[in-house]
């Protein structure tokens, strides 16, 4: 469904991604895991077709990422893009129309369902400007979900959310994957990484390891290792080359 082959990207003279390659199959949850500044957001923007690679190739749904594929993609950026004077319901309704959901009654049903998914029903008539940071995060996630995309790109989707809501969202992520939606989730939180079906460790723009959480932990050769231990292990392996 998604293939990156030796992808490179720089902002001016500053290299961000260095020969990144990976394959993501349909219906999986793939985690891009790395510290802040490792290149996660840039990689998400490349997959979405917002920016173009300097070198290498990206294939999404069998073609190069571009704006004509955006109806099939739900993208939740780390920087929220919300209309603060509009209510939660108005924001989701606006973006649902932008994604081509034209029938009023059907769109209203979709918007109501999405508001419930992100647990904002009691705040649906409140302007975004009056919401907390975590609530705004949920509105942004709702916008990514509202048009039922084939691919969901979620950049740090659980930051600022309480543990109960994070658990509820992950249940929904698993349900989406079971129904065939592909999710690519970036995170620096190992708890989120542990919940992904497959993850890639990104360090200073390089993909230093890819595998299931259990495979990456087993690679350390220690029975009591955690996923964080595995991340540090592969960083040490990379630095020793």
């Amino acid at each position: 469904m998604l293939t990156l082959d030796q992808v490179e990207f720089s902002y001016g003279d500053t290299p961000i991604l260095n020969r990144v390659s990976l394959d993501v199959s349909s219906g999986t949850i793939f985690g891009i895991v790395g510290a802040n500044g490792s290149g996660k957001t840039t990689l998400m923007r490349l997959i979405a077709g917002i920016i173009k690679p300097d070198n290498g190739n990206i294939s999404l749904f069998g073609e190069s990422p571009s704006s004509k594929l955006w109806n099939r993609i739900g993208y939740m950026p780390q920087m929220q893009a919300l209309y603060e004077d509009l209510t939660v319901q108005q924001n989701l309704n606006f973006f649902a129309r932008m994604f081509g959901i034209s029938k009023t009654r059907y769109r209203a049903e979709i918007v109501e369902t999405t508001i419930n998914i992100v647990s904002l029903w009691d705040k649906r008539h409140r302007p975004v400007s009056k919401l907390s940071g975590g609530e705004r995060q949920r509105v942004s996630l709702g916008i990514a979900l509202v048009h039922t995309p084939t691919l969901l790109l979620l950049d740090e989707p659980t930051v600022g959310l309480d543990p109960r809501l994070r658990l509820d969202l992950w249940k929904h992520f698993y349900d989406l994957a079971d129904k065939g939606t592909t999710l690519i989730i970036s995170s620096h939180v190992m708890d989120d990484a542990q919940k992904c079906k497959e993850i890639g460790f990104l360090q200073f723009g390089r993909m230093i390891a890819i595998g299931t959480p259990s495979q990456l932990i087993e690679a350390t050769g220690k029975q009591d290792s955690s996923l964080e231990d595995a991340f540090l292990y592969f960083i040490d392996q990379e630095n020793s080359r």
Side-chain angles (χ1 to χ4, degrees):
M1 196 279 294
L2 170 69
T3 299
L4 279 76
D5 182 23
Q6 299 290 299
V7 169
E8 297 181 338
F9 184 83
S10 299
Y11 285 113
D13 295 330
T14 305
I16 305 298
L17 296 174
N18 184 7
R19 296 183 180 179
V20 173
S21 296
L22 61 88
D23 288 289
V24 179
S25 57
S26 297
T28 194
I29 302 176
F30 188 93
I32 300 171
V33 180
N36 292 331
S38 60
K40 300 189 302 295
T41 295
T42 298
L43 185 53
M44 298 289 256
R45 287 167 57 84
L46 283 164
I47 294 169
I50 297 170
I51 54 178
K52 304 288 186 183
D54 297 330
N55 292 297
N57 296 299
I58 303 175
S59 176
L60 179 62
F61 306 124
E63 52 188 294
S64 297
S66 68
S67 59
K68 69 180 181 179
L69 297 177
W70 285 353
N71 274 3
R72 301 176 67 182
I73 298 173
Y75 177 43
M76 177 186 169
Q78 196 169 3
M79 297 294 292
Q80 299 163 1
L82 305 172
Y83 292 99
E84 297 205 351
D85 292 337
L86 299 182
T87 66
V88 171
Q89 192 168 37
Q90 288 169 337
N91 263 278
L92 266 67
N93 186 67
F94 171 78
F95 281 98
R97 291 181 65 186
M98 290 289 289
F99 283 117
I101 305 175
S102 57
K103 294 183 179 179
T104 303
R105 182 175 296 180
Y106 177 65
R107 186 171 68 248
E109 292 175 357
I110 291 293
V111 168
E112 288 182 5
T113 299
T114 305
I115 290 173
N116 276 308
I117 288 170
V118 296
S119 301
L120 284 172
W121 184 252
D122 61 335
K123 306 287 178 65
R124 65 191 184 280
H125 297 311
R126 183 170 296 185
V128 166
S129 61
K130 302 296 185 181
L131 300 179
S132 69
E135 289 166 346
R136 293 183 185 209
Q137 185 86 343
R138 284 184 267 166
V139 177
S140 187
L141 177 59
I143 289 169
L145 294 169
V146 74
H147 60 299
T148 317
T150 305
L151 171 66
L152 262 176
L153 301 173
L154 305 176
D155 197 356
E156 302 277 5
T158 66
V159 171
L161 302 184
D162 64 76
R164 168 52 60 184
L165 182 57
R166 289 176 64 191
L167 181 61
D168 290 344
L169 286 178
W170 270 103
K171 288 179 180 177
H172 187 63
F173 293 162
Y174 286 134
D175 184 55
L176 288 170
D178 288 342
K179 293 176 180 177
T181 303
T182 305
L183 293 88
I184 299 178
I185 298 175
S186 76
S187 183
H188 65 274
V189 180
M190 289 301 167
D191 182 61
D192 283 339
Q194 188 72 56
K195 293 180 173 67
C196 295
K197 295 180 180 178
E198 190 175 16
I199 56 179
F201 287 149
L202 191 66
Q203 175 73 358
F204 297 131
R206 294 184 63 86
M207 195 66 76
I208 59 175
I210 296 176
T212 66
S214 59
Q215 287 171 340
L216 296 174
I217 290 172
E218 289 171 5
T220 67
K222 298 179 181 179
Q223 293 184 348
D224 59 346
S225 287
S226 65
L227 197 55
E228 185 173 354
D229 293 330
F231 184 55
L232 296 173
Y233 168 82
F234 282 106
I235 288 176
D236 290 340
Q237 293 288 103
E238 182 71 13
N239 291 339
S240 66
R241 291 180 181 177

